[in-house]
Amino acid sequence: MDPLTAVAELAEAESLYALIAPAPEPARTSLGIASARIGGGVALSMRHDSTGYWSKALGFGFDEPVGHKLIAEVCDFYREQASPGAVLQIAPACLPPEWPGICAAQNISAGSTWVKLVRAADIGTFPQVRTDLRVAAVGKDEVAEWAAVLLRGFGMAVEDMAPVLVHGVESGRFRAYAAWSGHDMVGAANLRVHGDTASFSGASTLPEHRGSGAQSALLAVRARDAAAAGCRWLVAETWKPAQDTLNSSLNNMLRAGFTVIHPRRNWLWKPDGLPA
């Protein structure tokens, strides 16, 4: 196993946990949020998430081997929460030979593939970015707008998740960055510093401003601040494009010096009796 596998996977797990687990009321109740630490990993459930994105379990295989008992405990957590479904994200090097049997026993099926990326936090090797946009950290009075732009860029409903994102920044667990065209905020990004690792835990640009260099500039400003905070590693993830398609976010990360350390399948759990 690449030693950076644990760095990248656990940083992502802790970033998601830090965002969702401490979510404030009334968002916590309205979204049906619950969380658990299981076998060295984390499980987050958002029962009323209309996107199906936020119920995830990840970070497994480092403190405790992945096996029937561990995955049964994870799936039982989602059953107890009456979750309509969840995504299990496990590094391929941590999957055991008996994984097909585990999937059959727990109603888990294979979904799409994402890629995990890592680069050293060496700002001296970060490429120069050219853009007409202004890119900077977000002020306290701009956090609500930042959350709205980040969610709109992903095509997610603002009213559902905005309070959770705002709380993450206002609590100091996350750092918010944005890109402006004139006075208009057109792009947004999130950063989580955890020990010597920085998670680039989300970035989006409004559709009408894509192609303007916002994401590359947001990568650069977060890399600079992560290096200043003493981080050694920068980690990120994005979806793997199908053949003959492209993911501009992935291309921007590769140009910025990130390296793919592994592709990672999304494993889809469904409640018993529903098609996996």
Side-chain angles (χ1 to χ4, degrees), residues 3-181:
L4 287 178
T5 295
V7 171
E9 292 290 327
L10 294 175
E12 182 186 359
E14 289 301 325
S15 179
L16 185 65
Y17 193 88
L19 178 66
I20 303 300
E25 294 290 2
R28 185 176 190 83
T29 296
S30 64
L31 291 170
I33 290 174
S35 60
R37 290 189 177 274
I38 303 171
V42 303
L44 289 307
S45 175
M46 192 177 290
R47 187 168 57 254
H48 303 308
D49 170 27
S50 61
T51 69
Y53 178 81
W54 297 103
S55 289
K56 292 183 178 181
L58 63 166
F60 303 105
F62 304 105
D63 285 5
E64 178 182 327
V66 174
H68 280 277
K69 179 178 179 295
L70 174 62
I71 300 304
E73 189 175 352
V74 171
C75 294
D76 283 346
F77 163 77
Y78 287 110
R79 293 185 183 101
E80 291 165 4
Q81 297 304 320
S83 298
V87 178
L88 279 63
Q89 298 177 315
I90 303 172
C94 296
L95 293 175
E98 64 268 26
W99 183 247
I102 295 172
C103 290
Q106 297 297 335
N107 203 34
I108 296 169
S109 63
S112 61
T113 299
W114 281 50
V115 290
K116 286 296 298 180
L117 302 102
V118 176
R119 68 153 286 161
D122 178 4
I123 196 63
T125 64
F126 217 89
Q128 293 291 320
V129 177
R130 294 182 179 179
T131 179
D132 293 330
L133 302 175
R134 178 174 68 88
V135 176
V138 169
K140 292 181 179 180
D141 59 342
E142 300 169 310
V143 175
E145 182 184 7
W146 163 85
V149 169
L150 184 64
L151 292 165
R152 285 168 54 207
F154 283 124
M156 294 182 175
V158 173
E159 60 273 14
D160 289 344
M161 277 297 294
V164 179
L165 291 170
V166 169
H167 187 256
V169 173
E170 291 181 341
S171 68
R173 294 187 301 274
F174 290 85
R175 305 182 186 193
Y177 299 83
W180 288 264
S181 175

